[in-house]
Amino acid sequence: MMKYMLAVGLSLTIGIVHAVTFREFSGVCQGGDLSSPCWDTFAGWNRFDISWSSAEPEEGKFNEAYLEKIYARIKQNLDRGVQVLPMIGYAPGWASHRGKYEFISGNIRRIYLPLDGNRYLLKEYRKQKNGNWELQKQKDGGMERIILNPRIPLAPENISKWRKFIRRIVSDLRAKPYCLEYFQIWNEAHPKSGFYDGSMTDYLKKIHQPAAEEIHSLGGKVVYGGYPCCGSVDALANALSETNAWNSIDVIDIHYFPEWCMEYLRRKAEENGRPDLGVWQTEILFHRKYYAVAQIYPTVLYWGLTHNWSYPERYKLMAFAFGSPDDPKAYGYGKCLLAGKKLTPHGKALETLAEIFGGENIYPYNRVWSEPRLEFANRGDRMSAFRFGNKILVAAVFENATLERQEKELCSTLRLTFPDIAADSIAAVTRIGIFGETTDLSGDWERSENGILVRVPLLENAATRYSDQFLKENSLRRPALYVLVELRK
């Protein structure tokens, strides 16, 4: 029986060239404090910026001290065993569109007027119900403000200088001692994001594609610049098709989208001749919905493992951001993985998953079913299951409506059936909460006509439930839980 279970567990991995570990799958943004144990558990990648406006504030004059500092930081990460994804972007004012530049997005109209050097004067208008544009007051009460290095399209004559800058950075970082492979172009280019005031066509043709050509010519790989959730994934796919840009990217990257959107883009890439394109989210979690790690990470991990994870970097999630100061006034306080040196509930939830998987190679496992019924899916009530070492992990996720129904019906148990596990092969069964709480289920499983049946309590134990200043819970019922089955070696 044990031999058959191994065959089933591994049969789903056909086509997987690379054995996946959790740390390879998981990364962070803007990570500091390399002494943190996070880098040994859930943070295998670190994404941070290389700013063109900081590196070349004056045309042709590089700020070598800035670049040396960035390069030293990259080397420190690599020496720590952490891979680095540089995000290269944000033009200096001298390279931006010269002369008056006007941009309209929905009911917002912005007019940029060049001043001197890297400065522009910005006037913002809002469209009224009568169709007229009304000039808006700025935070200081004035009707205009000065912008340094505005994120507007490049002047056509400066596209070649953008190429030159990309070539400088990528040449440096492709060489020893860095040998970086992946490079992200810009960040969240979209008319509504605040990171780019221009059309998607202009961005793709004048910023993305020239940079991608330079990166590819130097043997690097291109990560699309983090398309934000203020847009739609079908609009992104259409823009890539309209500009013939699918072949310019090696990884399509999105920010803060539902898990199913990654599958949508995988299929769109396949339809456009890129069946092996990487699909990443390099920003997720920047909120205080602390169940999100348990709802998202196992779902995406299982989906990736069952969709031809054929090379190490094909699928990835990165949390934004690594940390904030332990100060309620700090940007991102309570939304990051750490507050000061202490893990937030986000960080604790991510640490829990990482510690469950350890450094083992992870494979998908589908020989389990449940009552109430959970599907192997990327939305709705769902479960994911994995085989690693001598262990099987089942992750269960319930939607809010299901939790409410369970509450009304006093549903207290999830029943999991494993048809291929022999009773004498079980060493231990444990229920694990989102934040690492454990309950021994060794007395809650039995033989049944369909295999091994495990009864899993849906409610957390009030006496041992994890608590934190950020986590406000009124119920012992959470939308996710884990069940770990350990088999005898």
Side-chain angles (χ1 to χ4, degrees), residues 28 35 47 70 117 128 136-137 163 166 172 191 204 217 241 244 281 288 298 306 314 356 360 379 392 395:
V28 300
S35 66
R47 168 185 178 258
I70 291 289
Q128 306 301 302
Q136 300 296 294
K137 285 186 178 181
R163 284 180 176 269
I166 290 289
D172 287 350
L204 285 163
S217 73
S241 296
N244 296 313
Q281 292 214 54
R288 294 186 179 181
T306 54
R314 180 148 197 209
I356 291 171
E360 298 277 5
R379 65 173 90 185
I392 294 169

Side-chain angles (χ1 to χ4, degrees), residues 10-16 308:
L10 294 175
S11 68
L12 291 175
T13 69
I14 292 174
I16 295 177
N308 195 26

Side-chain angles (χ1 to χ4, degrees), residues 404-433:
E404 292 173 6
R405 187 171 65 251
Q406 290 176 354
E407 194 79 56
K408 290 178 181 178
E409 297 174 359
L410 301 179
C411 182
S412 61
T413 305
L414 172 69
R415 295 157 59 93
L416 297 177
T417 299
F418 299 85
D420 300 318
I421 297 180
D424 59 4
S425 70
I426 296 177
V429 182
T430 308
R431 182 198 191 278
I432 304 176

Side-chain angles (χ1 to χ4, degrees), residues 70-244:
I70 291 289
Y71 293 174
R73 184 181 175 193
I74 290 172
K75 182 65 164 55
Q76 289 166 359
N77 275 262
L78 296 174
D79 288 346
R80 182 69 169 83
V82 179
Q83 295 299 312
V84 174
L85 174 65
M87 190 291 293
I88 310 174
Y90 306 150
W94 61 259
S96 300
H97 182 94
R98 304 313 297 172
K100 177 182 176 182
Y101 176 73
E102 182 174 340
F103 180 71
I104 297 175
S105 177
N107 64 348
I108 300 297
R109 175 187 177 195
R110 296 186 178 95
I111 296 177
Y112 294 87
L113 300 170
L115 298 173
D116 57 302
N118 294 341
R119 302 188 313 150
Y120 281 66
L121 189 69
L122 170 63
K123 295 184 177 181
E124 294 183 284
Y125 297 80
R126 185 175 294 274
K127 196 169 190 178
Q128 306 301 302
K129 291 182 179 180
N130 61 10
N132 294 331
W133 291 98
E134 183 177 297
L135 185 61
Q136 300 296 294
K137 285 186 178 181
Q138 302 298 311
K139 290 181 179 180
D140 63 1
M143 305 306 289
E144 56 193 28
R145 61 185 166 124
I146 293 176
I147 298 291
L148 187 66
N149 301 316
R151 291 165 185 177
I152 60 177
L154 300 179
E157 64 271 20
N158 288 329
I159 294 174
S160 62
K161 293 159 191 172
W162 167 237
R163 284 180 176 269
K164 184 178 179 181
F165 173 70
I166 290 289
R167 195 164 190 88
R168 160 72 196 272
I169 299 302
V170 176
S171 295
D172 287 350
L173 295 178
R174 287 287 295 143
K176 293 180 179 180
Y178 315 105
C179 302
L180 298 192
E181 185 174 14
Y182 288 85
F183 298 87
Q184 187 164 40
I185 303 169
W186 215 268
N187 174 63
E188 297 193 354
H190 188 277
K192 295 181 180 179
S193 72
F195 290 96
Y196 184 71
D197 264 0
S199 71
M200 290 300 297
T201 298
D202 268 357
Y203 165 74
L204 285 163
K205 289 186 174 181
K206 297 176 182 178
I207 293 178
H208 169 81
Q209 287 176 314
E213 289 171 6
E214 298 300 331
I215 293 169
H216 281 154
S217 73
L218 293 165
K221 293 184 178 177
V222 173
V223 179
Y224 183 85
Y227 186 80
C229 61
C230 56
S232 63
V233 286
D234 56 339
L236 170 59
N238 291 338
L240 291 172
S241 296
E242 290 166 2
T243 54
N244 296 313

Side-chain angles (χ1 to χ4, degrees), residues 302-414:
Y302 182 84
W303 163 77
L305 289 169
T306 54
H307 286 83
N308 195 26
W309 205 319
S310 53
Y311 56 93
E313 316 308 346
R314 180 148 197 209
Y315 303 113
K316 216 169 285 296
L317 294 177
M318 297 188 190
F320 184 94
F322 182 70
S324 76
D326 190 10
D327 179 354
K329 296 179 181 178
Y331 176 72
Y333 179 68
K335 299 179 181 180
C336 301
L337 302 179
L338 290 95
K341 291 185 177 293
K342 180 187 175 185
L343 290 172
T344 66
H346 277 325
K348 182 63 176 174
L350 200 50
E351 180 186 67
T352 295
L353 264 182
E355 289 182 345
I356 291 171
F357 286 117
E360 298 277 5
N361 295 329
I362 306 170
Y363 302 94
Y365 186 81
N366 73 344
R367 295 294 291 166
V368 56
W369 58 81
S370 68
E371 183 186 344
R373 185 177 178 82
L374 299 172
E375 302 290 348
F376 286 90
N378 57 17
R379 65 173 90 185
D381 294 335
R382 60 192 182 273
M383 68 176 168
S384 308
F386 310 91
R387 173 68 191 264
F388 50 102
N390 66 321
K391 300 174 183 177
I392 294 169
L393 180 73
V394 178
V397 175
F398 299 97
E399 296 291 279
N400 287 337
T402 303
L403 293 176
E404 292 173 6
R405 187 171 65 251
Q406 290 176 354
E407 194 79 56
K408 290 178 181 178
E409 297 174 359
L410 301 179
C411 182
S412 61
T413 305
L414 172 69

Side-chain angles (χ1 to χ4, degrees), residues 9-85:
L10 294 175
S11 68
L12 291 175
T13 69
I14 292 174
I16 295 177
V17 175
H18 179 72
V20 179
T21 67
F22 188 80
R23 189 168 172 270
E24 289 171 324
F25 168 62
S26 174
V28 300
C29 298
Q30 312 298 344
D33 185 14
L34 289 172
S35 66
S36 170
C38 301
W39 303 106
D40 299 312
T41 55
F42 61 69
W45 279 73
N46 195 1
R47 168 185 178 258
F48 51 81
D49 302 353
I50 299 179
S51 166
W52 184 15
S53 60
S54 297
E56 194 179 1
E58 295 182 56
E59 182 178 353
K61 295 182 179 180
F62 281 93
N63 183 344
E64 297 296 344
Y66 168 79
L67 289 177
E68 287 174 9
K69 184 177 180 180
I70 291 289
Y71 293 174
R73 184 181 175 193
I74 290 172
K75 182 65 164 55
Q76 289 166 359
N77 275 262
L78 296 174
D79 288 346
R80 182 69 169 83
V82 179
Q83 295 299 312
V84 174
L85 174 65

